[in-house]
């Protein structure tokens, strides 16, 4: 009896010490599937104890992904799925949802988080027809390259995590508060560093970096795509070459997963740098986190402008 009392006393003392130190045993880790690596990085910032897997990498075009068995298995186990939305994944996400038969991550459920639903997108199109190419009626889905919109998404995601996993609510609230504070400091730093980029003119692929350009005051004066989703043809590149005679072009920009041949041909003809920018995390050697992604984007643009100055 005396031994049993001592064991109970020790347990009560141990629990008291844990509470006093502010440590609470965590509930089971969430299984999180993200459609793009930027959302994996964000989820890991808010829920570092969770198991997070990205369906795509920065070297893949997120429009065109195969709904392979491995992804279906990940979807089946997921407590939370995080995707850009705005029809970016329309070619493969619905198939994953259907084949996984996971009721928690179907459209309209708390376990299905669309980042585009948390912010205002640019470039919405009301009347779409097949002749327009690969357009997004719900707006440009690459808004993770606008730090203000990304911060809005981050706060909404933290609230969603609290809702589906209330046992870890304090952890999510603490982490999003720290992320928010640091991210706002980063924005001020980036805007200061990027001052020389204001007013430069570039040719780039359709909507890939539209949010980044708007934020930094960069003008996109030419589109490498004749229509959204179509690669640059010889005829189209000739038109861009003619455009370069009328407008000062500072650089030709393309994403880490896009064909570089047209961009490099045009850059050589015009005599300006061709810049390969990381579209997401690990799209380059220096973009291993969300903050480093922004650092690298700005640094690469600044180097190109300086080289061309």
């Amino acid at each position: 009896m005396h031994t049993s009392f001592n064991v109970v006393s020790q347990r009560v003392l141990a629990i008291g010490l844990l509470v006093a130190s502010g440590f609470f045993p965590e509930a089971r880790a969430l299984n999180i599937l993200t459609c793009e690596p930027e959302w994996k990085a964000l989820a890991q910032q808010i829920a570092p104890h969770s198991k997070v897997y990205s369906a795509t990498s920065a070297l893949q075009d997120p429009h065109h992904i195969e709904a392979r068995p491995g992804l279906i298995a990940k979807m089946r186990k997921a407590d939370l799925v995080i995707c850009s939305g705005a029809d970016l994944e329309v070619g493969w996400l619905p198939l994953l949802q259907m084949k996984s038969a996971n009721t928690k991550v179907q459209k309209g459920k708390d376990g299905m988080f669309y980042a585009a639903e948390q912010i205002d997108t640019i470039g919405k199109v009301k009347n779409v027809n097949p002749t327009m190419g690969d357009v997004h009626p719900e707006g440009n889905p690459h808004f993770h390259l606008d730090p203000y919109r990304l911060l809005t998404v981050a706060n909404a995601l933290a609230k969603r995590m609290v809702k589906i996993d209330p046992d870890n609510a304090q952890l999510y609230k603490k982490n999003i508060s720290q992320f928010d504070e640091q991210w706002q400091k980063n924005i001020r730093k980036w805007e200061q560093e990027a001052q020389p980029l204001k007013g430069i003119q570039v040719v780039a692929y359709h909507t890939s970096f539209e949010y980044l350009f708007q934020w930094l005051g960069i003008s996109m004066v030419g589109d490498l795509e004749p229509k959204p989703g179509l690669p640059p043809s010889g005829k189209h590149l000739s038109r861009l070459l003619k455009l370069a005679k009328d407008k000062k072009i500072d650089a030709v920009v393309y994403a880490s997963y896009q064909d570089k041949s047209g961009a490099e041909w045009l850059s050589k003809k015009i005599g300006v740098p061709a810049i390969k920018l990381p579209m997401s995390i690990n799209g380059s050697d220096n973009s291993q986190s969300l903050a480093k992604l922004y650092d690298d984007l700005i640094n690469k643009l600044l180097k190109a402008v300086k080289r061309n100055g």
Side-chain angles (χ1 to χ4, degrees):
M1 185 76 175
H2 179 70
T3 303
S4 176
F5 178 78
N6 282 342
V7 170
V8 172
S9 298
Q10 288 169 3
R11 286 177 180 168
V12 170
L13 178 61
I15 292 170
L17 289 171
L18 287 173
V19 171
S21 66
F23 175 83
F24 296 90
E26 292 175 351
R28 71 176 182 86
L30 287 178
N31 283 311
I32 301 175
L33 174 64
T34 71
C35 287
E36 292 83 27
E38 59 266 22
W39 307 131
K40 176 184 177 181
L42 184 59
Q44 288 172 327
Q45 292 267 349
I46 305 169
H49 68 293
S50 294
K51 299 172 185 175
V52 191
Y53 180 83
S54 176
T56 63
S57 78
L59 303 181
Q60 292 174 291
D61 184 346
H63 295 84
H64 308 294
I65 299 298
E66 184 184 350
R68 57 190 187 274
L71 284 182
I72 296 168
K74 294 285 185 186
M75 189 75 132
R76 190 173 292 127
K77 295 177 182 177
D79 301 300
L80 176 63
V81 174
I82 308 166
C83 296
S84 294
D87 284 344
L88 178 61
E89 308 93 356
V90 70
W92 53 278
L93 180 60
L95 190 59
L96 285 184
Q97 289 171 309
M98 181 185 71
K99 290 198 170 185
S100 72
N102 183 347
T103 57
K104 291 188 288 188
V105 298
Q106 301 301 315
K107 192 170 184 178
K109 299 293 185 179
D110 288 336
M112 185 65 238
F113 181 89
Y114 292 105
E117 293 180 355
Q118 320 307 320
I119 52 103
D120 290 326
T121 57
I122 58 178
K124 289 185 174 72
V125 182
K126 287 186 179 180
N127 301 308
V128 178
N129 65 69
T131 64
M132 298 169 70
D134 186 15
V135 299
H136 292 275
E138 294 179 34
N140 186 332
H142 305 299
F143 44 81
H144 66 286
L145 297 181
D146 174 348
Y148 293 98
R149 283 179 169 90
L150 189 139
L151 188 57
T152 299
V153 171
N155 279 279
L157 179 59
K159 287 179 183 176
R160 183 68 61 87
M161 288 178 173
V162 167
K163 188 173 183 181
I164 66 173
D165 184 23
D167 289 343
N168 278 321
Q170 292 308 310
L171 175 69
Y172 302 137
K173 289 177 181 177
K174 175 176 74 72
N175 289 343
I176 190 58
S177 177
Q178 291 174 348
F179 178 83
D180 192 306
E181 182 180 359
Q182 183 58 49
W183 196 252
Q184 292 197 54
K185 288 179 182 176
N186 288 341
I187 290 175
R188 291 192 289 272
K189 175 180 78 81
W190 291 325
E191 289 179 343
Q192 183 64 34
E193 291 171 350
Q195 283 292 322
L197 297 175
K198 281 190 176 180
I200 72 165
Q201 299 190 137
V202 301
V203 172
Y205 275 95
H206 191 51
T207 60
S208 301
F209 298 104
E210 193 172 4
Y211 289 95
L212 180 73
F213 294 160
Q214 283 199 10
W215 169 48
L216 298 178
I218 296 171
S219 296
M220 181 175 156
V221 295
D223 192 337
L224 281 164
E225 294 179 323
K227 285 185 181 180
L230 294 180
S233 62
K235 187 178 180 181
H236 183 65
L237 288 171
S238 295
R239 282 198 292 264
L240 291 174
L241 195 55
K242 188 179 178 183
L243 174 73
K245 293 176 182 178
D246 301 324
K247 292 181 180 288
K248 181 183 182 295
I249 293 174
D250 296 286
V252 181
V253 176
Y254 63 99
S256 46
Y257 64 80
Q258 290 168 335
D259 181 24
K260 66 180 182 179
S261 55
E264 289 188 342
W265 180 89
L266 185 63
S267 76
K268 286 175 185 175
K269 289 289 184 181
I270 301 173
V272 299
I275 316 171
K276 180 171 78 171
L277 293 181
M279 194 66 195
S280 190
I281 311 301
N282 292 320
S284 67
D285 292 338
N286 299 313
S287 56
Q288 301 91 347
S289 69
L290 284 168
K292 287 182 177 179
L293 171 64
Y294 276 77
D295 284 337
D296 198 37
L297 287 165
I298 291 169
N299 287 338
K300 280 183 165 61
L301 287 165
L302 285 170
K303 281 180 184 176
V305 171
K306 188 176 180 181
R307 195 164 70 230
N308 197 40

